[in-house]
Amino acid sequence: MKRFTLLMAALVAVAGLASPVLAADTIKLGVAGPHSGDLAPYGIPTMRAAQLVVKKINAAGGVLGKQVELLIQDDQCKPEIATNTATKLVTEGANVVLGHICSGATKAALGIYNDAKIPVMSPSATNPGLTQSGDYPNFFRTIASDDMQAKLAVDFAINKLGAKKIAILHDKGDYGKGFAEFAKKFADESGKVKVVLFEGITPGAMDYSSIIQKVRRENADVLIFGGYHPEASKLVAQMKRKRLKTAFLSDDGVKDASFVKVAGKDADGAYMTGPRDLSTIPLNAAATAEYKAAYGEDPGAFFQEGYSAALALLNAIQKAGSTDYAAVTKALRTEYVDTPVGRIKFDARGDAEGVGFSVYQVQKGKFVEIK
Amino acid sequence: MEYFIELFLGGLTRGSIYALIALGYTMVYGIIQLINFAHGEIYMIGAFVAYIVCGVLTIYGFHGVSILIIAGLLAIVYSCAYGYTLEKVAYRPLRNAPRLAPLISAIGMSIFLQNYVLLAQTSDFLPFPSLIPNFAFMEPIAHIIGSPELVILVTTLVTMILLTLLIRYTKIGKAMRATQQDMSMARLVGINVDRVISMTFVIGSALAAIGGVLVASYIGQVNFYIGFIAGVKAFTAAVLGGIGSVPGAVIGGLVLGLTESFAAGYISSDYEDVFAFGLLVLILILRPSGIMGRTTKQKV
């Protein structure tokens, strides 16, 4: 009898753990990304964007008459932490998730959300396979994918910089290597340039002089680098020191204020692709002003994309009339929404229609869009 | 040929830094058979102190070389203080404990110091001013070697000569060698063993600080995590050369630096680390005690 009582007690306890999901009286928006660690500058602007959007929407009466609640989780851009983060957001009953920030972490977490039928929208994960593989029907993004970036970079190197020989380096990570491999593919396909070097460098290594010597020896006109700003700063500094005339061209992982801060004068002249200038879109100016008012500084990387993703997700729930997975994903694919990155909806794979990239150059410490 | 010389000098530069840090591992191991895993963090702290001092001195209008010297000296002082305290807090209480205990304590101190700097400073990469003046040599020398590389090479060379003289001719050097040979005998002839061990940590930390300042100035950035990678490489150099042997650490560092540089230059930088660690495995198979290592006689 005693054992039976114990069993009943255990059953009741388990039911108690499961019930909060059913009793939800708020719309739960999960936010995942690096909020600590060296990649935090990429995650915090999105987290703040979500906070700003939710504050505004809640003040206006919420979504479907309910208040929106934020569930914020730090994944440090590490895949192994991201899976924990995802599991936590699922158990906490997130209806939709904004994140993750880095492609590697996003990929690790996506399967968990997919099994739980939760729509996920990243403001920054640009790895093409995330949408093109078709494995993650629950995934959306408000940023263009890496292959678009790589195509733009290669076209720019050929048409504007007149490159005949290209050296391609990457940081061996999902994001950097993906970008580099696409650059190589497009360069080979163009038939106008020769890829003279394609190699990975070790992030955090003390010295890149050997690889810089190699770039010089191959006489490359343009060095295309896939990766993030700490390695990019080291590369441009060593190139300047070795007096290479090779142009440096990189990706939006480098188009960050930290790059200019760390590389200093050496950053001048470096090119990088990044989301196109959005200053003509009225909503963007408004969002930027909100950020400045709240935090007293300019918004950092992926703020507009994060703000747009938060708006798109909550708009889809509103339009769908429920948090039901099928209804929300359908709304994302069919209903246009005005955001700081423009008027967007999502295609069958989950890529936003109507966002794009431009090439920038660092000139006297400022990013200048090259038309 | 020119390319070969470039790679050779590049390898020599990074190898000499590895050697500088490896000396700290090897000296400590030689005397108390402990692998001080927190040594890389002492290097990182050296770089951070120099970073902070530079910031302050720039505000007060100091310039170039004077900043380098003051920042370098203060970095050495701070790193020595950290090294001394580290030994006192984390290793001395465990002097008679089984070998594994101080090893775990070392790993713990490494994680502690990393997180301490992370919390006290920031996780961001910080721009380190290039303190070593970059003289414009004539072409074609300019792209083979610049003044920063030259300064690194000369500084490490001078430091190593001074260290050799210290170990060979000074009283503390003699005491260190005696302690290394037999700690209890050294104690019997009146050597203050604890003081010798503290001094070993202080000297090793000073070398790490010099390495930290040189590298930070060379690559132009500091971060709380740089000590880990430098530590792993220097530890590899120490084992390669024969841990416990001072010339071994120098040779190990240079061999490692040159291997990496040539592997990156002639094969692919993808495999830089593969070749470096492959070489380590190879040497340990052929000469288990490292290039310069001696097999220790078991005491009966």
Side-chain angles (χ1 to χ4, degrees):
Chain A
M1 195 59 205
K2 210 170 196 178
R3 196 171 287 172
F4 179 73
T5 322
L6 213 63
L7 181 72
M8 290 318 280
L11 281 176
V12 169
V14 170
L17 284 177
S19 59
V21 182
L22 303 172
D25 52 356
T26 54
I27 303 283
K28 288 181 179 166
L29 172 64
V31 177
H35 306 141
S36 67
D38 55 336
L39 297 172
Y42 297 114
I44 287 171
T46 293
M47 179 180 81
R48 290 177 171 177
Q51 285 164 341
L52 289 172
V53 169
V54 165
K55 200 172 142 204
K56 212 164 142 186
I57 285 184
N58 280 345
V63 175
L64 302 177
K66 294 176 187 170
Q67 292 285 294
V68 181
E69 184 189 344
L70 280 173
L71 307 172
I72 293 172
Q73 288 290 337
D74 181 7
D75 71 359
Q76 293 175 27
C77 265
K78 290 180 180 150
E80 66 276 18
I81 299 179
T83 50
N84 288 341
T85 307
T87 314
K88 211 162 176 186
L89 285 175
V90 170
T91 41
E92 283 177 359
N95 298 113
V96 286
V97 171
L98 168 54
H100 298 217
I101 301 298
C102 296
S103 291
T106 309
K107 196 170 179 185
L110 266 181
I112 295 167
Y113 296 124
N114 199 19
D115 292 341
K117 293 281 172 227
I118 295 175
V120 179
M121 190 178 293
S122 171
S124 58
T126 48
N127 185 299
L130 292 174
T131 50
Q132 289 170 11
S133 66
D135 293 342
Y136 309 109
N138 61 329
F139 181 67
F140 301 86
R141 59 180 155 210
T142 49
I143 194 164
S145 60
D146 280 338
D147 50 344
M148 289 170 75
Q149 245 189 109
K151 180 100 179 69
L152 180 68
V154 171
D155 287 347
F156 183 81
I158 296 171
N159 300 330
K160 294 277 169 61
L161 301 176
K164 295 274 176 279
K165 290 178 179 172
I166 297 183
I168 301 174
L169 299 180
H170 59 82
D171 66 355
K172 303 187 198 169
D174 273 350
Y175 165 71
K177 195 174 181 190
F179 175 82
E181 276 169 351
F182 276 104
K184 183 174 188 315
K185 182 171 152 244
F186 293 127
D188 288 341
E189 281 170 6
S190 76
K192 290 179 197 149
V193 285
K194 205 169 151 238
V195 177
V196 289
L197 188 68
F198 182 84
E199 279 182 22
I201 57 172
T202 312
M206 285 161 68
D207 178 31
Y208 294 133
S209 61
S210 322
I211 194 73
I212 296 293
Q213 302 285 19
K214 210 167 179 179
V215 172
R216 170 201 297 286
R217 192 195 193 199
E218 300 290 354
N219 236 331
D221 303 310
V222 178
L223 167 62
I224 295 182
F225 172 68
Y228 296 106
H229 68 82
E231 283 72 43
S233 332
K234 275 191 233 176
L235 284 173
V236 290
Q238 298 212 324
M239 281 167 76
K240 282 271 161 74
R241 197 171 297 146
K242 302 264 180 209
R243 301 190 190 182
L244 255 68
K245 294 197 178 63
T246 309
F248 182 85
L249 175 58
S250 191
D251 49 34
D252 65 338
V254 174
K255 191 189 167 287
D256 181 273
S258 307
F259 173 64
V260 176
K261 197 179 105 195
V262 174
K265 266 186 280 171
D266 296 330
D268 270 1
Y271 297 97
M272 62 278 304
T273 56
R276 68 148 193 254
D277 183 21
L278 304 164
S279 54
T280 51
I281 300 167
L283 246 174
N284 177 52
T288 309
E290 267 177 56
Y291 190 97
K292 273 188 186 159
Y295 299 104
E297 56 186 33
D298 283 329
F302 309 123
F303 169 71
Q304 284 84 4
E305 289 79 7
Y307 198 98
S308 304
L311 277 180
L313 284 170
L314 295 176
N315 175 66
I317 294 176
Q318 179 76 41
K319 291 277 166 63
S322 78
T323 53
D324 175 57
Y325 172 72
V328 172
T329 48
K330 183 163 173 281
L332 283 169
R333 293 199 164 97
T334 49
E335 301 282 351
Y336 274 101
V337 54
D338 277 313
T339 70
V341 296
R343 191 173 160 76
I344 55 168
K345 75 178 179 73
F346 298 86
D347 64 14
R349 291 156 156 180
D351 282 318
E353 294 172 356
V355 300
F357 279 100
S358 300
V359 177
Y360 293 82
Q361 185 179 31
V362 180
Q363 293 176 2
K364 296 191 178 126
K366 294 262 184 303
F367 294 105
V368 178
E369 192 173 358
I370 309 272
K371 295 275 161 105
Chain B
M1 191 60 199
E2 188 190 284
Y3 186 56
F4 177 84
I5 296 170
E6 283 173 12
L7 291 178
F8 181 77
L9 288 173
L12 218 55
T13 313
R14 77 163 87 174
S16 62
I17 296 281
Y18 292 161
L20 206 53
I21 312 168
L23 284 167
Y25 281 102
T26 229
M27 281 163 46
V28 166
Y29 185 86
I31 289 186
I32 51 173
Q33 274 81 49
L34 162 76
I35 293 161
N36 177 16
F37 275 114
H39 189 59
E41 272 57 53
I42 299 289
Y43 156 93
M44 179 265 294
I45 283 170
F48 253 101
V49 169
Y51 172 78
I52 295 165
V53 173
C54 286
V56 174
L57 290 183
T58 317
I59 294 171
Y60 286 103
F62 283 76
H63 288 291
V65 180
S66 61
I67 293 187
L68 176 66
I69 291 167
I70 299 173
L73 286 177
L74 277 175
I76 291 173
V77 169
Y78 266 88
S79 287
C80 290
Y82 271 92
Y84 179 81
T85 316
L86 182 70
E87 194 269 334
K88 206 130 210 191
V89 171
Y91 307 140
R92 187 166 295 179
L94 298 170
R95 188 68 48 78
N96 297 316
R99 277 267 191 100
L100 220 49
L103 193 73
I104 301 295
S105 177
I107 293 172
M109 284 315 283
S110 160
I111 296 170
F112 169 77
L113 287 173
Q114 262 181 37
N115 284 282
Y116 167 66
V117 175
L118 168 69
L119 292 174
Q121 298 295 324
T122 163
S123 61
D124 288 347
F125 280 83
L126 299 167
F128 196 96
S130 52
L131 296 172
I132 306 168
N134 199 355
F135 291 118
F137 290 126
M138 272 185 308
E139 290 286 346
I141 305 169
H143 69 254
I144 295 180
I145 190 162
S147 54
E149 285 94 341
L150 214 57
V151 170
I152 290 179
L153 281 172
V154 172
T155 315
T156 47
L157 189 71
V158 170
T159 314
M160 281 165 197
I161 291 171
L162 287 178
L163 180 70
T164 316
L165 294 178
L166 179 102
I167 291 176
R168 198 159 292 174
Y169 296 112
T170 62
K171 212 171 166 189
I172 182 76
K174 270 185 200 146
M176 279 164 74
R177 279 183 289 151
T179 313
Q180 174 164 14
Q181 269 183 8
D182 193 326
M183 203 184 282
S184 44
M185 269 317 272
R187 202 174 269 135
L188 281 179
V189 296
I191 294 171
N192 185 346
V193 171
D194 281 338
R195 204 177 132 251
V196 170
I197 293 170
S198 288
M199 275 312 286
T200 312
F201 272 86
V202 166
I203 295 166
S205 303
L207 299 177
I210 296 172
V213 177
L214 288 176
V215 171
S217 167
Y218 180 60
I219 64 176
Q221 49 181 263
V222 283
N223 174 262
F224 74 97
Y225 200 59
I226 55 171
F228 176 74
I229 291 144
V232 167
K233 284 287 163 66
F235 172 62
T236 310
V239 175
L240 196 62
I243 193 150
S245 148
V246 169
V250 177
I251 289 173
L254 294 181
V255 167
L256 187 69
L258 289 171
T259 311
E260 283 184 2
S261 186
F262 285 129
Y266 284 116
I267 302 155
S268 165
S269 63
D270 282 319
Y271 302 111
E272 194 178 282
D273 287 351
V274 176
F275 277 90
F277 291 105
L279 178 81
L280 178 70
V281 172
L282 195 72
I283 288 198
L284 289 184
I285 290 171
L286 299 175
R287 272 190 71 92
S289 52
I291 299 171
M292 299 289 283
R294 276 166 298 182
T295 37
T296 45
K297 284 185 216 110
Q298 285 292 321
K299 289 170 203 159
V300 185

